[in-house]
Amino acid sequence: MSKNKLIFLVTGIIIFLVRLAGDLLLYSLDFIKGSTAVYWHYSTTLLIMLSFSAYYFSIFLEKDKTKKELTGDDFFNSLYQNFVLSLIILLLVIFFSFKDTSALFRRSYVGLILADFFFLYVVIVTLNNFHFTYRWLWYRRHKLTKFYLTLLSFLILILSVNYSVKIFLPNLNKIGVQWLDISSTVLFVLTALITFLTNKKTHWMAELPRSQKSKFFWIMMLNVIIAIKLLMETKSADTMVFAGFERFYPLALQMLSVSFLLYGIYLFRLFMSLLAVIPSSMIVEKKSSEISSLAYLNKIVAEAPNNSKKVLIDQVTNLALQASSAYGAWTEIYESDNVYINTCVNINPENISELEKNYRISEFFKRVSTPVLIESVHEYRDLSKMLSHLTAIKSMIIIPLNSSQMREGTLIVFDSEDFSLEADDLKILTAFGDNVKIALDNSRLVKESIEKERFRNEMILARNMQQKLLPQTLPLIPGYKVSAFSIPATEVGGDYYDLVILKNGKQCILIGDVSGKGISAAFYMAQLKGVVLSEALESESAQELLSKINYVLYGKIESQIFVTMSAITFENESNKLILARAGHMPFLIKRENYVEELIPKGIGIGLAGKSIFDKHIRQTEITLKEHDTVIMFTDGLNEVRNTDGTEFGMKRIIEIVEHNNGLDSEELTKLLKNKVREFAESSDYHDDMTFISITKI
């Protein structure tokens, strides 16, 4: 409790206790009548009411500052509190209807004490009524609310002054009394009218759930009746319970009357609004539920990629049940030839399993290709027979759940009454089915995308590992300059090149191409690398090395896989090179004024055994002059295609090499790589390509 609230509350209690002590003293001195008593009663009543008014006003300001969103439950709780307080006064009115309560104010000390506490209770009820009305008018305010509430407060103040004039001028002539009565009536009517106009925002009653509307209807009706009854009672001081009240507690009765006027008018307008929407509340609530369910379904569809199919179907089933106001539902999921019961609401999964076992009911549902409304199961003989022992299923809607690729399952919504499900339910559930299709497709596409991304990342990792299998830098070869590049068609490829040292210490450059591309080719390329490194240590020439590689791989690789290779051995301290070829692309020898194609005999590795392979392979010796260049490449280079489907071709390779004299191996490699990129434009490479250039310096 805040400090200000505590001060006002304590002040009010102290003034009340002073009033109680003063009343007892005046009674003992027999000063219960006369001007002294009038001033005493008026001043203490006014001070008590002001103190407690300040307390309630501080509560109002405190709640307004919190900016808390108030709900229908908050309104109902406040309304119920006022109902209980008002009901107590009503019960007292009924109880004392048969007794003269004016004696309470003059007969005894006990009577005075009881009367003072009853007065305090009246003050609490009055201020509760004002606080409730002002608080909810302010919460549901519009642009004129502040003006109207200020005007109401001013009218209440004028009414208080009007009543005070009557108290202090008891001998006023008849015309004066009439004018005061007329002005009071006018002010009373204006107060009622302004309250009615202030309570403009009543549409929120239509938004309440149907269950809350029913509660509000009864509590508001009772409150309006009590307000009218007590308004009639308080307007006349001649009623039994309030007899003598006006003389001992001036203003209290009048303020109680005004408070019930504001409270009653406010509730009456709300009650009439509620009465107007109750007949259509079922339809409105159903439409609202449909909209809410569809909005939530859209959220589920958006989140579908993050959820499993089971979670998605489970959420959709429950939302469909909520949107259609049906009794129960279940969902079947089809995977291969199996039927899985995913979600069951108000039906035993064992009963569904029994239906599937005895009647294969899923076959019936699978034949339903579009949403269907079955208003009465009994009108379908086959279905009625299947569902005869399930008395809760009298009508149903069958919604096929499809993705763009296949039938995923079926959503069955049912009710326990014939003809209870309608065409509107079918429409909304059809929308559910369409959204589920989108969600399933989104989920599948995202999963495929994730799988592709995972595969791509694995390919990138594999490519990095494969690139490490190729020479990062080529060793220096005395008298020669060597340059190379290798580009896989996909993330990984089957092209291979390397430089190894033979058993006799000679250096040997190899280039190879595993048939095919992708993972399979990359795997055999890695295997080839290991074989080359091991057999190079036991070989003394290019031909012998290729023969040993074939001997190791023949019969160890798949029958449809083979490897083409070329090898060059550098003869130490001479300008001679020994060339051997195993079914690979021709060597290109660039001389000063021409380019020569050299194709030594040889068949692919892995195609034949040792005897046949050795019979067909021959190595060739060539001599290079300064600036002569030997070129080795895989077929991926000449088979590069542009957007028109035209191949780069062997002729174009020879022309580029022939027309660019004076370029060393590194410059020639760079030029050819750029020419290939320009030719292919944005097209993907259809095969791996590797290029090696060896220039005599």
Side-chain angles (χ1 to χ4, degrees), residues 394 543 587 605:
K394 296 293 179 66
Q543 179 178 324
F587 295 96
I605 292 170

Side-chain angles (χ1 to χ4, degrees), residues 421-439:
L421 297 174
E422 300 176 351
D424 285 345
D425 297 312
L426 180 63
K427 286 179 183 177
I428 188 70
L429 292 181
T430 300
F432 269 63
D434 294 339
N435 277 275
V436 170
K437 179 181 182 298
I438 295 170

Side-chain angles (χ1 to χ4, degrees), residues 474-537:
L474 289 170
L476 294 176
I477 301 174
Y480 297 91
K481 190 170 185 178
V482 182
S483 182
F485 72 81
S486 182
I487 302 173
T490 55
E491 281 78 6
V492 291
D495 280 11
Y496 166 76
Y497 74 93
D498 207 348
L499 189 147
V500 295
I501 306 298
L502 300 181
K503 183 178 180 180
N504 54 15
K506 293 180 180 180
Q507 293 176 304
C508 179
I509 282 185
L510 300 102
I511 187 171
D513 184 3
V514 180
S515 61
K517 47 185 175 285
I519 294 291
S520 176
F523 172 77
Y524 286 114
M525 175 268 190
Q527 189 178 10
L528 176 63
K529 165 89 174 180
V531 173
V532 169
L533 292 178
S534 63
E535 295 303 322
L537 299 174

Side-chain angles (χ1 to χ4, degrees), residues 301 312 400-406 408 431-444:
V301 169
L312 172 65
L401 301 178
N402 300 306
S403 66
S404 59
Q405 295 183 336
M406 59 184 289
E408 300 279 355
F432 269 63
D434 294 339
N435 277 275
V436 170
K437 179 181 182 298
I438 295 170
L440 291 172
D441 285 341
N442 285 349
S443 180
R444 176 180 56 80

Side-chain angles (χ1 to χ4, degrees), residues 98-117:
F98 309 100
K99 295 191 177 189
D100 180 9
T101 55
S102 62
L104 285 174
F105 301 96
R106 63 173 184 268
R107 283 184 179 173
S108 63
Y109 292 105
V110 174
L112 277 173
I113 293 171
L114 289 175
D116 280 356
F117 274 100

Side-chain angles (χ1 to χ4, degrees), residues 46-58:
L46 185 61
L47 287 172
I48 290 169
M49 293 182 70
L50 288 174
S51 298
F52 282 101
S53 295
Y55 170 72
Y56 274 95
F57 186 68
S58 62

Side-chain angles (χ1 to χ4, degrees), residues 138-181:
W138 183 252
Y139 182 71
R140 304 281 180 187
R141 58 186 177 269
H142 50 87
K143 63 179 182 179
L144 294 176
T145 298
K146 188 174 182 180
F147 169 74
Y148 284 147
L149 290 180
T150 305
L151 187 57
L152 273 176
S153 301
F154 180 72
L155 290 174
I156 293 168
L157 180 62
I158 299 291
L159 277 168
S160 301
V161 173
N162 202 327
Y163 293 140
S164 300
V165 170
K166 284 185 180 182
I167 293 169
F168 291 105
L169 298 174
N171 300 320
L172 197 65
N173 59 42
K174 187 176 180 180
I175 295 175
V177 172
Q178 285 179 345
W179 273 107
L180 286 175
D181 289 340

